[in-house]
Amino acid sequence: MDDVSETDAGRLIGVLHGLTLDDLPPEVVIKAKDCLLDGLGCGLFGSEQPWSRILCEEMDADGLAGACTVIGRTRPLPAPAAALCNGTAIHGFELDDLIAESIVHPAAAVIPAALAAAEECGASGGRVLLAIVAGYEIMHRVGLSLGDGPARRGFHTTSLAAPIAATIAAGMVMGLPLADLRSAIGLACSASSGVKNFAAGHGGGMVKRLHLGRAAEAGVRMSRLAARQFTGPPNAIDGKMGLLEVFGGDTARPERLTHGLGRDWAVMDIWFKVYPICGWIQSVVQILSDLRGNRTFQAADVEKVRVGVSAYAARNNGEPAPLDTMGAQYSIPYCAALSLLGDPRDPTEYAKERVADADLRAVARKVEIHVDPAAEAVYPAKFAASVELSVAGAAPVLARVDECRGTPADPCSSDDLRAKFMLLASRRLAAPEAQAIADDVARLERLPSIDPLARRLRAGPLAAGQAHMGAPFTLLPSSAGEVSPSSATEGS
């Protein structure tokens, strides 16, 4: 088809490019601000992680000078480099948002691209808000349209869709004409990449953190190139040898790019994480945390933990002895053991030294994983799980969760998310500065410029006593949404 406007991708891009604030339902505006606040909190926390520090040192070594904010750093960088660092930071500790059905993490691609572009061109908060909505929308729809073929073959679906999302976000903030935006997206499709060897259980390293940073960087760079009339193919998403055909193959469904467009909004499907771990394991950890309650277990108390999940999770998340932080965050046995012996909400519990703990390893070896037909039936729209827990001196207890906390079915409130942000931000910012950021986000569409908001994110080291580093890290109250008596029964 020669007319790009008549393809599914062409129609999607055209609709998103033409969005105005008046087109957005009030609940979409609220949710988009929630996404921004959550992403900034994740970025502030992620900015102090080793991978973020290494990346910023690499940018320093290049001698780059610019005017765009790097979260948690006082030294600004050029827009593409700032987006690279900020995307890596936001995706830096498995705390950032996701959409279950499409299996994508939008915040770490969309938000850094939109912010860097907005700082560079002086865009308003309203333009940033539209860019966030549009970026989430196209990332979710591209993820859905790829189907599950790429994930089954070992591609990271998030990093296939992310460059497109970052590009539409940056391009809309920059005010690119529609033809140039299509061209930029055509360029971005050739930046799609990323394999999931990090989740294989043999040491994940730091590479997954970089996937979203590279995507955000690509989004800004491709938009800038298109503005200079560097052209890309206009049908690179759903044309011949385009993204969907090449990566999606037999599971590609181009019609999903536009199904429900203007009625079903991606931001309304967002899942805000409660635990800093892989999404597939959140339900398992929630069940075990609720079953444990306030009890203190020793390794010898735990006789067996039988976990039922989707076939994908059973196949890919079963390493009982992870080697590093990434491996721990992707290991059902480790996270299950931590739920019984430690605090799975605390990021320090995934440090390399903690991962090697003998008691955790002993309990992890008692975790048996199987495919739960009910969980398999709803995957990937829902990440359901069942757990049978056997401890000494008590009858086995069986419980299940179809949709865990933070999902649209059991959502976090805006107040919950503000509390999560304040906690994450407390690692880098004094409380008044963090509060000012939250207030700026709450009135985002009324900000004539995002410069004051961005500059508040340039956090230097806190003075002694200002940070709350010694306090337990609790994203949400542990009493919220406990397993109900009807969902917990004694096993046979």
Side-chain angles (χ1 to χ4, degrees):
M1 190 176 294
D2 294 329
D3 188 347
V4 65
S5 65
E6 294 304 314
T7 68
D8 287 293
R11 287 194 293 275
L12 172 59
I13 295 166
V15 168
L16 296 179
H17 180 267
L19 277 180
T20 68
L21 291 176
D22 290 338
D23 295 325
L24 304 181
E27 63 272 19
V28 169
V29 171
I30 292 169
K31 191 66 72 173
K33 293 181 198 177
D34 286 344
C35 292
L36 175 57
L37 187 65
D38 191 68
L40 295 180
C42 293
L44 283 161
F45 183 83
S47 69
E48 66 178 0
Q49 301 306 317
W51 31 92
S52 291
R53 292 198 299 270
I54 292 169
L55 188 56
C56 287
E57 288 167 2
E58 175 68 11
M59 298 299 102
D60 289 344
D62 284 345
L64 299 175
C68 293
T69 294
V70 177
I71 296 173
R73 300 259 296 180
T74 56
R75 182 174 178 268
L77 289 173
L84 168 63
C85 292
N86 292 337
T88 301
I90 292 173
H91 199 54
F93 215 89
E94 300 298 318
L95 285 164
D96 51 313
D97 64 26
L98 71 153
I99 304 179
E101 188 175 11
S102 53
I103 322 177
V104 297
H105 294 270
V110 173
I111 290 170
L115 292 181
E119 274 194 280
E120 186 170 60
C121 69
S124 68
R127 291 301 301 171
V128 171
L129 179 61
L130 283 170
I132 290 171
V133 172
Y136 275 58
E137 198 68 30
I138 201 167
M139 191 164 176
H140 174 53
R141 291 175 177 276
V142 169
L144 287 176
S145 299
L146 284 165
D148 66 354
R152 284 192 283 102
R153 292 194 300 276
F155 287 109
H156 188 202
T157 303
T158 284
S159 57
L160 300 182
I164 297 168
T167 299
I168 203 164
M172 286 181 63
V173 165
M174 293 167 58
L176 290 184
L178 180 57
D180 290 349
L181 183 61
R182 294 191 199 280
S183 203
I185 290 171
L187 297 172
C189 285
S190 283
S192 294
S193 63
V195 296
K196 292 194 69 172
N197 181 256
F198 60 80
H202 308 297
M206 301 178 179
V207 69
K208 181 176 185 278
R209 327 295 188 183
L210 193 61
H211 282 186
L212 276 297
R214 288 293 304 275
E217 176 190 35
V220 175
R221 180 67 71 192
M222 301 315 177
S223 295
R224 287 169 49 146
L225 286 172
R228 295 179 183 273
Q229 303 307 300
F230 194 113
T231 58
N235 294 308
I237 294 179
D238 57 349
K240 182 176 176 57
M241 292 185 286
L243 186 89
L244 298 188
E245 180 179 303
V246 170
F247 287 108
D250 292 342
T251 66
R253 298 292 182 268
E255 66 276 8
R256 301 200 74 175
L257 290 167
T258 53
H259 180 74
L261 184 61
R263 181 191 69 219
D264 303 327
W265 296 89
V267 293
M268 302 309 295
D269 289 330
I270 280 294
W271 171 0
F272 295 106
K273 282 190 176 182
V274 174
Y275 305 100
I277 59 175
C278 172
W280 286 296
I281 312 177
Q282 300 266 330
S283 293
V284 176
V285 169
Q286 176 180 319
I287 293 168
L288 285 168
S289 297
D290 288 346
L291 290 178
R292 173 188 175 183
N294 295 323
R295 288 177 290 177
T296 300
F297 289 128
Q298 303 299 318
D301 297 329
V302 182
E303 295 178 344
K304 186 173 76 171
V305 184
R306 192 164 188 266
V307 174
V309 289
S310 69
Y312 186 93
R315 184 169 61 251
N316 295 294
N317 295 85
E319 174 56 50
L323 302 177
D324 57 11
T325 296
M326 175 58 69
Q329 291 172 310
Y330 269 71
S331 166
I332 291 173
Y334 178 83
C335 292
L338 184 61
S339 301
L340 296 172
L341 302 187
D343 184 357
R345 297 165 296 173
D346 183 352
T348 65
E349 295 273 52
Y350 304 88
K352 190 172 183 179
E353 299 74 20
R354 178 63 164 154
V355 169
D357 180 83
D359 286 342
L360 288 173
R361 288 285 173 94
V363 174
R365 289 192 294 269
K366 300 176 185 179
V367 176
E368 175 188 312
I369 301 171
H370 68 99
V371 177
D372 182 328
E376 177 67 11
V378 297
Y379 175 85
K382 301 176 184 179
F383 295 176
S386 61
V387 174
E388 183 177 353
L389 174 63
S390 299
V391 296
V397 179
L398 176 65
R400 68 173 302 106
V401 163
D402 292 323
E403 295 186 79
C404 63
R405 293 179 205 126
T407 61
D410 188 2
C412 299
S413 69
S414 292
D415 287 343
D416 289 334
L417 294 171
R418 182 175 281 236
K420 176 184 174 182
F421 168 79
M422 292 299 291
L423 181 64
L424 292 172
S426 72
R427 307 297 176 109
R428 300 306 301 268
L429 295 173
E433 278 298 292
Q435 188 63 57
I437 290 172
D439 292 343
D440 281 344
V441 170
R443 58 174 179 267
L444 181 65
E445 70 273 33
R446 302 194 299 275
L447 297 181
S449 166
I450 67 150
D451 286 353
L453 167 62
R455 280 173 170 73
R456 296 188 211 279
L457 295 165
R458 298 183 185 184
L462 278 176
Q466 283 187 306
H468 304 294
M469 298 295 287
F473 187 99
T474 305
L475 294 182
L476 291 175
S478 59
S479 60
E482 293 179 353
V483 173
S484 64
S486 61
S487 62
T489 58
E490 290 191 350
S492 57

